[in-house]
Amino acid sequence: MGQPKIPSLGYALLGLLQPKPASGYDLRKIFSSTSMKTYSDSPGAIYPALSRLEQLGLVRGTIQEGAGLRRRQVFRVTAKGLAELKKWIAKPITPQDLTRGDKEIMLRFAFSETAAGAAASVELLMSLQTALKAHVASLQKEYEASHRFMPTSGRLAFESGVRGAEYFLQWTEYALATYEKEARKKGRVS
Amino acid sequence: MGQPKIPSLGYALLGLLQPKPASGYDLRKIFSSTSMKTYSDSPGAIYPALSRLEQLGLVRGTIQEGAGLRRRQVFRVTAKGLAELKKWIAKPITPQDLTRGDKEIMLRFAFSETAAGAAASVELLMSLQTALKAHVASLQKEYEASHRFMPTSGRLAFESGVRGAEYFLQWTEYALATYEKEARKKGRVS
DNA sequence: TATGACATGTAATCTGTTACATGATTAG
DNA sequence: CTAATCATGTAACAGATTACATGTCATA
């Protein structure tokens, strides 16, 4: 019940560790070298976050001594951690998820297949599509009501938001179609 | 020089107050009722942020007593505040600005025309376009290098990011064209 | 008379940022 | 021998979230 809620960074770590255990340093490198730069690669963020996850029993760290360099601690996701990750992925998309930005949604989706299976990915996409339809509609409505009173730059910025959301919605169609195609292929083979 | 840096919320407040002075409550309503829901409408965020801006001399609050309801304090942007806002808008777009997300960029652009004039808006768009081209190229490169090793959901999520950036780049063309059209119209009239 | 809108604020807590500290190993 | 890379951590600080506290006025 009253479990302390885990911030986005915690889930990012959980998602990365799930298929492949890694050290704090490895994770920092992933954040700094790949397009996951949205997350901080600073030790002051990563190490405390890993400690918190360990205290919650979601990951377990194993110290590897004497392997040449300084000791390193490799973390792996526990059964409880995997359950938490799945729960996070399976939560239906809310309007607030969309206003808060698509980064966390895409993170959930990116991890969904490995952590919870293709069925969970499809489920998440459908939930996202439903939420996006409502979101796009409300943005369009707000645009219609207000665009006449905005300066050009304000109006263009708003348009960018509306069209970006429309585009995102289109992407969900494409993603769902991709999964359908995959399912057909598998069906043929099996 | 070593001025304490202002967080995104501070600039959002500055940008909203610039054309039209308002109270903390007014600002909260804007955040909660419009598509600026990305920013917190909680009093624990807004009121301290306004105090900080006031301490920096960027806004000045005037208490309106006896106007029927409980006293309210209306804030207006000072000359120093407007200068700071302009400086923020005029900063060239960096790669980090893009990885951190487009929200703050669009906020800067949305405010640019009213706070700094159409020329500043165009300048910002051109800076954004340049940065986006590099950003899209690096995303595409990373996608090419890694997409084969990803699960379907990871690949689709990455694609969404790449295409979103491409789409954003297209939008800059459209926005620049809009400003060109406007300039022609004005040229004809004057 | 009780609810909801108006209106401002504070306190506890959590997280992230920045900067520093430590220390081993390898490459130049 | 010095710099870079590997590798982990802490401490000070700033900012956001949540919840609470306070108080007025209108309306149902």
Side-chain angles (χ1 to χ4, degrees), chain A residues 9 13 16 24-43 46, chain B residues 96 99 138 142:
Chain A
L9 174 61
L13 294 171
L16 288 171
Y25 191 77
D26 296 334
L27 294 162
R28 286 183 59 205
K29 271 191 308 184
I30 292 171
F31 288 143
S32 62
S33 68
T34 71
S35 59
M36 291 193 71
K37 280 192 240 318
T38 11
Y39 291 95
S40 166
D41 69 327
S42 81
I46 307 275
Chain B
Q96 298 98 283
T99 32
S138 90
E142 193 186 338

Side-chain angles (χ1 to χ4, degrees), chain A residues 5-102:
Chain A
K5 74 173 137 214
I6 296 152
S8 192
L9 174 61
Y11 286 111
L13 294 171
L14 232 35
L16 288 171
L17 289 174
Q18 192 267 317
K20 191 175 178 316
S23 70
Y25 191 77
D26 296 334
L27 294 162
R28 286 183 59 205
K29 271 191 308 184
I30 292 171
F31 288 143
S32 62
S33 68
T34 71
S35 59
M36 291 193 71
K37 280 192 240 318
T38 11
Y39 291 95
S40 166
D41 69 327
S42 81
I46 307 275
Y47 292 108
L50 284 169
S51 302
R52 285 192 296 270
L53 292 177
E54 193 168 30
Q55 280 199 324
L56 291 170
L58 306 179
V59 302
R60 189 171 38 249
T62 319
I63 293 157
Q64 300 192 321
E65 295 266 25
L69 289 163
R70 188 179 170 179
R71 91 192 180 286
R72 47 183 263 131
Q73 198 175 4
V74 173
F75 292 90
R76 66 196 69 243
V77 174
T78 63
K80 198 176 166 190
L82 180 58
E84 181 62 39
L85 189 57
K86 281 184 186 172
K87 215 177 70 186
W88 175 65
I89 290 164
K91 265 189 295 190
I93 302 290
T94 63
Q96 299 97 283
D97 288 332
L98 286 170
T99 32
R100 299 246 306 226
D102 45 11

